[in-house]
Amino acid sequence: MIMSIFGVRKLNFTAQDGKVVRGRSVYVGYETNGVDGLMTEKIYLSDDIFGSIDITVGADYDFSFDRRGKVEAVTKA
């Protein structure tokens, strides 16, 4: 699914269970039926899996999701 990147927030904190969380909240928009304009969402990308991706605000990316709705691949469109 092609999505436009509106913003990126880096995350680096320790959760209450002691696990260190490193990643990015990526704010995206995309066209979908039943919506005038763009549908917007926030998607979490962990640095463990997606740390090597250089995300550019304003660019379009192709997001692939697994059957549970988790991001499994991101490529520049």
Side-chain angles (χ1 to χ4, degrees):
M1 172 182 288
I2 303 297
M3 298 182 178
S4 297
I5 305 296
F6 296 140
V8 177
R9 175 182 284 166
K10 290 190 178 197
L11 304 172
N12 186 359
F13 63 92
T14 303
Q16 290 181 343
D17 64 2
K19 182 179 176 183
V20 175
V21 176
R22 288 189 181 102
R24 290 170 262 178
S25 290
V26 181
Y27 300 89
V28 299
Y30 56 93
E31 293 181 1
T32 189
N33 291 333
V35 176
D36 292 333
L38 297 175
M39 173 71 83
T40 59
E41 292 186 29
K42 175 176 75 169
I43 298 174
Y44 172 72
L45 300 177
S46 71
D47 276 351
D48 291 341
I49 299 172
F50 300 103
S52 63
I53 299 171
D54 184 27
I55 295 179
T56 304
V57 174
D60 292 338
Y61 288 81
D62 187 8
F63 285 74
S64 297
F65 299 89
D66 66 15
R67 60 187 171 136
R68 290 177 271 143
K70 291 189 176 187
V71 177
E72 60 183 7
V74 180
T75 56
K76 197 160 189 176

